Amino acid sequence: METKLLSLTCIRGAGAGDGYCRGLSPRPHYPSMPKYPKGVLESNMEPTEARVLFSVTGMTCPACAGSVEKAVKRLQGIREAVVDVLNNQARVMFFPSYVDEETIRETIESVGFKATLIVKETDEKSSQVCRILVKGMTCTSCSSTVESTLKAIHGVQRAQVALATEEAEVHYDPLVVSHDQFMEIIKGIGFEAIMISTGADMSKINLQIDGPWNDFPVSMIKESLQALLGVEKVDIDTNLRKCSISYKADLTGPRTFIQVIESTGSGSSGPFKAKIFPKGRGRDSHRQEEINQYRRSFMWSLVFAIPVFLTSMVLMYIPGLKHLLDSKIVNMMTVGQLVRWILSTPVQFFIGRRFYTGSYKSLRHGSANMDVLIALGTNAAYFYSVYSVLRAAVSLHFEATDFFETSAMLISFILLGKYLEVMAKGKTSEAIAKLMDLTPDTAILLTFDSQGYAVMEEEIDSRLIQKNDVIKILPGAKVASDGFVTWGQSHVNESMITGEARPVGKKKGDPVIGGTVNENGVLHIKATRVGSESALSQIVQLVESAQMAKAPVQKFADRISRFFVPLVIIFSLSTWLAWFVAGKLGGYPKSWIPSSMDSFQLALQFGISVMVIACPCALGLATPTAVMVGTGVGASQGVLIKGGHALESAHKVDCIVFDKTGTLTAGRPLVVNTRLLKNMVLREFFELIAAAEAVIHNKEIIVGNKSLMLKKGIAISLDAEEILTEVEDLAQTGILVCIDSQLTGVVVISDPLKPGASEVISILRSMKVKSIMVTGDNWGTANSIAKVVGIDDVIAEANPEDKAEKVKALQLGWAVLNIIWLVETFPSITYGPLAMVGDGINDSPALVAADVGMAIGAGTDIAIEAADIVLMKSNLEDVITAIDLSRKTFTRIRLNYMWALGYNLLGIPIAAGVLFPFTRFRLPPWIAGVAMAASSVSVVCCSLLLKYYKRPRILETLEIHGIATE
């Protein structure tokens, strides 16, 4: 076994560490980029990937798991195989066109273990995900109502609703419930629901059909499309002349649909023409539509509110106009009162009807939101004014005082605040918009003849690309789809996806990522993953899911929102009652009452001000807006953070466990020295090593470590011992070579440290973050490498399951059974949240066990899926970026909560008149409304400042360069 390893190391530059082998110059592995079995790249068909999970009984140690894994991987068409000895399971990813699950099962049993198929993971119909845009939510009370309603539906496995994005993400069993039912239920509780995507719509396209629309040809078109292999669902909207098609991208595509539609209408019914449905009905368009609605409502409210304000606050001080406005119409009712009544009515009931609608929907389901406060406050001002004016109209002595300006201006300023808030919230997801804009609008499709020569080029909409299409990429153009190069050589700038600035060389057979930029040379690429299956789309989906996920600290705002509005209403009524009773009982001098009011009207103003200044929205937006901006900024920095939970955990991390091979080191072991102990030609020495475990020229070759030599009965000379000690002190590994039972030489291999590894450890130490190294390598090499990078605590010779157990032990601290091991090994350790940084399959259990798992982006799919944070550039300094960004994000969250809570705790008492007895200062209701609107906008703007996040300045001064290998 050892000789096989060395022969690979010497000839190919490959090596092993921590149970994971890599080549000399591996290409980076990016999320969602497929691996192919031998021969697939040259074929014309892209195989479909499948996954199965087996229960494997009889395994007792990692060696058993290794034998199963190797046996399965030898099969043709295996993409990946992972064997978990702890849980006695084997998960296999494979291509069904090359191998089936029965063959895999028989292969496992041929090794000597019992294998049982648990689940065939290609059938995902037992669990699907849909995303729904929920319009009409104003605060956390609304989002909590929608979320709890969805969770209560039978068949829903998980549901979460984000106020900031106005979206609901529902995981459900489609055999029990359908996504259409979610739409109806959300509408039933008073909100507008618009479907964004469903699990069945991973590949979906909307086509616009022009032609003679009537029942017969439309039904023909639908039947023709449904007859196509791979088409799952066809919906036709006759009003919009839109056809929505859900399909399997492996089997068909949009150009086929267009051909079918246009050929279906070629008879007597007349020709049909089909094209991609114009953009403009997606989530961004709905956001823009909402912005436009608030802007229009605000502008219309100003048309009425400004004259109301002028007649009540300004024109009354101009002598001629004052006389006109004070002119009596009926008894004591004046012209000014009637004008204000007429002008404020459209604002109250038409422009402000959204607040009535929102209040009704909220109260109907036993909750109260911000709309309730606004509706109560404005109605109190409006209807009291109506009562006062009508009483003046029927009285010869009663002089009315109206608050119509309070009603009109309050609604106007709240609409202004909502307009600014929606605009600001739209900017929190700019990172996603920039990612989505990376895909080019058009692509050059190549057509080939039977000899394989390109005979035609056609520019098409990039959304019309189908699997196995060959696309021509010109210099300076963006790559239109994920795929692999079939012809040409060039360099591709992948920084917009991976964050890695250095262009990557591409030649025939190399993978490319959609959205990256071809810098020089013409490339022909075969599309393998299109639409929502592409790496870019999956990164966008990951960031979107991260922005949907609630941070644990959000529970604080959710708890407050349950009783916030009812308490405010109670406090508002108490304020009005206290001032009113105090006025009637002479509790304060009559001189305190303004000349235009009485005690009832003064008390009413205080009560209304309390009601409208309270803002539950600011509390609800404090966390999600910061998480949205933080995860978006992280994506632009090459750090993918999977949600608020990962952000919250990362900012408290005070201990990081680093894997060695591929994480602290480059993961590319190289032969760095050769020491001969016998006289022989060096070339012959290498030829014999290359043919290890075979008898060459009648010579028996044994290559391995000291344990193997002793096992074979070969004496280790003093010179060899000294060499081994010397190379271990240099953080290198010595491999002994024996020819014909005589120790002949030592081959020294080294896995170089990643650039900046020691600097990163030093910076982490300055951030009060402790570093520990864990590796499957020997103690001598592990201690030497740890000494070079500056790590004091080392765990060596650790199997994959050992890594996970040690991580758990470190997490539990004094409460674990191996307390003696902890105390003796790490006497100075602090037991806070712990992070694990790794890249290999064998790191996955530890990544899952840690509070925060960080996967190096060039690592395996399994490691990336298990991690909470993915470092796409594979640079160690991004560990610092991830921790620093999480700390900055949670600083913003704390500031947001301080502002939201402080605003309410200070604003409500001031609005209630606490300062009035001492300063005669009172807060008019319309100014209280301005303050309420400003609080939400301030919270969102505070979160938006994260957009200007910069990495710690010390990272910019590091001289970190790539590793050159020959």
Side-chain angles (χ1 to χ4, degrees), residues 28 62 123 199 225 227 256 297 325 362 402 462 464 487 493 559 593 680 743 804 859 910 961:
D123 185 8
L225 290 172
T256 304
S297 297
L325 294 173
S362 176
D402 65 87
S462 61
L464 292 176
W487 179 87
N493 186 339
R559 284 194 295 267
I593 304 175
M680 70 179 302
L743 203 60
I910 291 173
H961 304 287

Side-chain angles (χ1 to χ4, degrees), residues 51 86 217-218 323 419 449 487 556 789-790 815 917:
R51 301 185 181 199
L86 295 178
V218 169
H323 177 73
Y419 167 61
D449 60 17
W487 179 87
F556 170 71
V789 298

Side-chain angles (χ1 to χ4, degrees), residues 867-887:
D868 301 297
I869 298 175
V870 180
L871 311 178
M872 294 194 64
K873 291 186 288 186
S874 300
N875 291 335
L876 275 178
E877 61 264 30
D878 282 343
V879 173
I880 297 171
T881 302
I883 294 176
D884 184 67
L885 176 59
S886 67
R887 290 180 177 180

Side-chain angles (χ1 to χ4, degrees), residues 140-162:
T140 52
S141 177
C142 300
S143 58
S144 297
T145 299
V146 177
E147 186 172 295
S148 60
T149 303
L150 290 172
K151 286 180 177 178
I153 301 172
H154 180 58
V156 171
Q157 299 157 350
R158 182 162 61 92
Q160 53 188 16
V161 179

Side-chain angles (χ1 to χ4, degrees), residues 297 301 345-357 374-375 378 411 415:
S297 297
S301 70
T345 299
V347 179
Q348 182 70 39
F349 296 107
F350 294 97
I351 297 173
R353 69 182 180 276
R354 66 176 66 242
F355 304 118
Y356 288 98
T357 304
I374 296 171
T378 56
I411 289 176
L415 289 172

Side-chain angles (χ1 to χ4, degrees), residues 201-221:
D201 297 339
M202 290 300 291
S203 293
K204 180 177 180 178
I205 194 162
N206 297 321
L207 299 177
Q208 179 174 310
I209 304 177
D210 297 323
W213 277 75
N214 55 66
D215 292 342
F216 178 67
V218 169
S219 62
M220 285 182 59
I221 289 174

Side-chain angles (χ1 to χ4, degrees), residues 904-924:
N904 283 292
L905 291 175
L906 292 176
I908 291 176
I910 291 173
V914 170
L915 300 179
F916 187 72
F918 312 103
T919 63
R920 302 297 183 273
F921 173 79
R922 59 187 175 89
L923 202 63

Side-chain angles (χ1 to χ4, degrees), residues 595-842:
S595 58
S596 59
M597 296 184 186
D598 57 23
S599 60
F600 176 86
Q601 294 165 346
L602 180 65
L604 183 63
Q605 276 213 346
F606 282 130
I608 293 173
S609 294
V610 168
M611 195 169 292
V612 299
I613 200 172
C615 185
C617 295
L619 280 171
L621 294 170
T623 297
T625 53
V627 170
M628 285 181 67
V629 179
T631 52
V633 168
S636 66
Q637 298 269 351
V639 178
L640 297 182
I641 303 172
K642 298 181 180 178
H645 187 278
L647 266 176
E648 183 164 348
S649 299
H651 95 280
K652 296 182 288 187
V653 163
D654 61 6
C655 180
I656 299 180
V657 178
F658 287 93
D659 170 49
K660 181 181 76 68
T661 306
T663 302
L664 289 173
T665 66
R668 300 193 291 270
L670 303 172
V671 176
V672 295
N673 197 0
T674 303
R675 305 281 287 273
L676 293 177
L677 302 174
K678 301 288 184 182
N679 289 327
M680 70 179 302
V681 178
L682 191 61
R683 180 181 180 86
E684 182 185 359
F685 179 72
F686 284 134
E687 287 177 350
L688 293 173
I689 295 175
E693 290 196 8
V695 177
I696 301 297
H697 305 312
N698 295 321
K699 297 180 184 290
E700 182 186 16
I701 315 298
I702 300 176
V703 180
N705 58 17
K706 185 164 63 173
S707 298
L708 177 65
M709 299 301 164
L710 295 176
K711 183 179 179 180
K712 296 290 185 180
I714 299 169
I716 309 297
S717 65
L718 184 61
D719 289 343
E721 291 279 9
E722 291 176 352
I723 293 172
L724 291 176
T725 303
E726 178 185 339
V727 299
E728 285 186 0
D729 290 339
L730 296 173
Q732 298 170 347
T733 302
I735 304 297
L736 299 173
V737 180
C738 174
I739 302 176
D740 287 338
S741 301
Q742 291 190 351
L743 203 60
T744 307
V746 180
V747 176
V748 182
I749 61 174
S750 174
D751 187 4
L753 285 173
K754 276 192 175 178
S758 57
E759 290 88 347
V760 167
I761 300 302
S762 176
I763 295 171
L764 287 172
R765 187 180 296 110
S766 69
M767 297 169 66
K768 302 187 185 306
V769 178
K770 187 176 185 64
S771 299
I772 298 173
M773 188 179 78
V774 60
T775 178
D777 214 335
N778 64 74
W779 280 98
T781 302
N783 284 322
S784 298
I785 290 179
K787 183 177 180 181
V788 173
V789 298
I791 292 177
D792 298 325
D793 300 313
V794 179
I795 303 171
E797 298 179 3
N799 294 322
E801 60 272 20
D802 291 335
K803 292 184 181 180
E805 289 302 319
K806 298 306 181 185
V807 166
K808 292 175 183 177
L810 290 169
Q811 286 175 304
L812 296 175
W814 299 103
V816 295
L817 295 175
N818 56 352
I819 183 173
I820 298 176
W821 174 85
L822 278 170
V823 174
E824 290 179 352
T825 311
F826 309 124
S828 62
I829 210 164
T830 57
Y831 304 104
L834 180 141
M836 168 71 189
V837 184
D839 71 320
I841 292 173
N842 58 348

